[in-house]
Amino acid sequence: MSKITLEQAKLHLRVDGPEEDMLINSWILAAYLAIEGKIFRKVVADEPEPESLDVQVDEAINSAVLLILGHLHENRGSESVEMPQAALWLVTPYINYAGGA
């Protein structure tokens, strides 16, 4: 499965036009990084190498990314924005407890 694209994110956020493309792209990257920080694993589009701790992106992870994007969009300008609880719930099964959780 592929990671969320700019077009998918804009459709989810109901954003038209190219004015916010750079911002939305940075949010997509930040959302995957936030998830990786929570699960102590790298999220990859391709099948991970055997014995790797990487996790392949799937519907749950992409749904969490979309929730994070929506949250960032709604709370832009806020100094303190935490990951939405629903996104945390979706990525909980992927947490590598040996990695620091």
Side-chain angles (χ1 to χ4, degrees), residues 57-93:
V57 69
D58 63 7
E59 292 87 357
I61 292 172
N62 278 343
S63 293
V65 167
L66 291 174
L67 287 168
I68 293 168
L69 293 176
H71 191 67
L72 291 170
H73 189 257
E74 287 294 316
N75 294 289
R76 66 170 78 203
S78 177
E79 291 182 22
S80 176
V81 178
E82 293 186 28
M83 188 181 289
Q85 188 62 40
L88 290 171
W89 177 75
L90 286 169
V91 301
T92 296

Side-chain angles (χ1 to χ4, degrees), residues 6-11 13-25 73 76:
L6 174 63
E7 292 74 27
Q8 290 170 316
K10 288 174 71 170
L11 182 64
L13 298 173
R14 299 181 182 158
V15 172
D16 296 322
E19 299 81 26
E20 296 185 294
D21 285 2
M22 284 181 45
L23 177 62
I24 295 169
N25 269 324
H73 189 257
R76 66 170 78 203

Side-chain angles (χ1 to χ4, degrees), residues 17-56:
E19 299 81 26
E20 296 185 294
D21 285 2
M22 284 181 45
L23 177 62
I24 295 169
N25 269 324
S26 68
W27 285 346
I28 294 169
L29 294 173
Y32 283 106
L33 286 173
I35 289 170
E36 290 174 354
K38 289 290 183 187
I39 66 173
F40 302 97
R41 299 168 78 176
K42 185 165 178 56
V43 176
V44 296
D46 299 320
E47 189 170 332
E49 295 290 324
E51 300 181 29
S52 168
L53 293 178
D54 297 349
V55 62
Q56 187 173 11

